[in-house]
Amino acid sequence: MLSFRASTQVTSPAAVEGRESLQKIYHLLEAKGFQTRMEGVGLLLDLCKTSPQLISSNIVQIFDYFLLRINDSHKKVKQKALEVLAEIIGLLEDALNPVMVRLVEGITKNLNSKDPGVHAAAVNALNKSIAHLELSHQWSQLSGEALLDVTERITVLVEWVYARSPEVVQRYALPVLWSCLENKALPVRSANVCAVVTKLACALCEVMGTQLIRCAESKPPHVQENLSSLLGW
């Protein structure tokens, strides 16, 4: 006769509390009332301080909600989210890597805001982000679909970041361009490969001018040829 031993999965109080905290954040961040959404932004900051591991372990899902508040329809929510983001970057550091490019992309959409509070908060958040992006050298090691995804996002950021910190663009955007021109993206079966790489090359050419040519001179001949072909030089 076979005997079966019943097994009971025990969930720790800390795990239960963590799930409840996350659900509360999600609920608050997508609430209809702007004051409630602001409360959600504040709660996220508190948890980044008190439970950074919880936030880090669920970073992608949490920031799917939080990114909406960076571009909230209510300027008070938007400003608070940007101000909180500047603090969060310093608290979570490398844990933000999976969402960092999306965050900076969201920040740049607010740099043209006519509201002085939103604009100032966006500038501060961008400056904090730039300092973090300097550490993201691993982007230059990407290939294939991941490289294309990063390339599309970086293109959006080049103009804004270069105006404030050109050395950062040269440090993290140029390696991505060189990676593309070294054919690392070409194995991807996508008709958009050339278009994506061309947009990045044109964006860099727009802000760097002839300096881009000088930077390319240190690269292999086929990289220089690919760049010239894309830009029509």
Side-chain angles (χ1 to χ4, degrees), residues 8-229:
T8 303
Q9 186 175 0
V10 178
T11 303
S12 68
V16 173
E17 183 179 351
R19 283 203 301 269
E20 291 176 348
S21 295
L22 291 176
Q23 289 304 317
K24 184 175 182 179
I25 286 180
Y26 303 150
H27 175 72
L28 293 175
L29 288 177
E30 62 179 1
K32 290 184 178 180
F34 81 91
Q35 292 178 323
T36 306
R37 297 198 300 276
M38 289 181 69
E39 183 182 344
V41 172
L43 176 59
L44 175 58
L45 177 59
D46 290 342
L47 287 175
C48 286
K49 294 177 179 178
T50 61
S51 305
Q53 185 58 48
L54 173 66
I55 303 302
S56 299
S57 300
N58 298 276
I59 197 74
V60 175
Q61 184 173 355
I62 291 171
F63 277 81
D64 282 344
Y65 289 86
F66 183 66
L67 277 165
L68 298 176
R69 304 292 65 88
I70 292 177
N71 292 289
D72 198 280
S73 58
H74 199 291
K75 65 181 182 181
K76 288 186 177 180
V77 180
K78 187 183 300 185
Q79 180 177 337
K80 183 175 180 65
L82 289 164
E83 291 170 348
V84 163
L85 175 58
E87 290 191 62
I88 288 176
I89 292 171
L91 292 170
L92 298 184
E93 298 180 336
D94 288 348
L96 284 171
N97 283 344
V99 296
M100 198 65 221
V101 179
R102 292 172 59 204
L103 285 175
V104 179
E105 189 176 20
I107 294 168
T108 60
K109 294 178 181 178
N110 292 290
L111 291 173
N112 282 331
S113 175
K114 295 180 180 179
D115 183 271
V118 172
H119 175 76
V123 170
N124 185 44
L126 179 60
N127 288 335
K128 297 287 187 180
S129 302
I130 287 173
H132 180 86
L133 287 170
E134 291 185 83
L135 303 176
S136 299
H137 61 276
Q138 68 270 18
W139 287 356
S140 63
Q141 301 170 9
L142 296 175
S143 62
E145 203 70 64
L147 178 59
L148 283 182
D149 183 59
V150 168
T151 301
E152 285 187 298
R153 297 184 184 280
I154 286 180
T155 300
V156 178
L157 314 180
V158 166
E159 179 183 355
W160 296 108
V161 175
Y162 193 87
R164 298 185 176 279
S165 188
E167 68 279 2
V168 172
V169 168
Q170 294 180 39
R171 187 174 301 173
Y172 82 86
L174 275 180
V176 174
L177 176 63
W178 303 143
S179 293
C180 291
L181 297 179
E182 287 169 359
N183 299 329
K184 288 187 177 181
L186 297 185
V188 179
R189 295 181 179 179
S190 171
N192 295 327
V193 172
C194 186
V196 169
V197 179
T198 299
K199 286 180 181 179
L200 176 59
C202 289
L204 287 168
C205 183
E206 181 71 22
V207 298
M208 296 180 65
T210 57
Q211 188 177 3
L212 180 60
I213 302 175
R214 291 195 295 271
C215 291
E217 289 175 351
S218 63
K219 299 300 172 184
H222 76 281
V223 172
Q224 298 181 46
E225 291 172 6
N226 287 338
L227 180 61
S228 296
S229 176

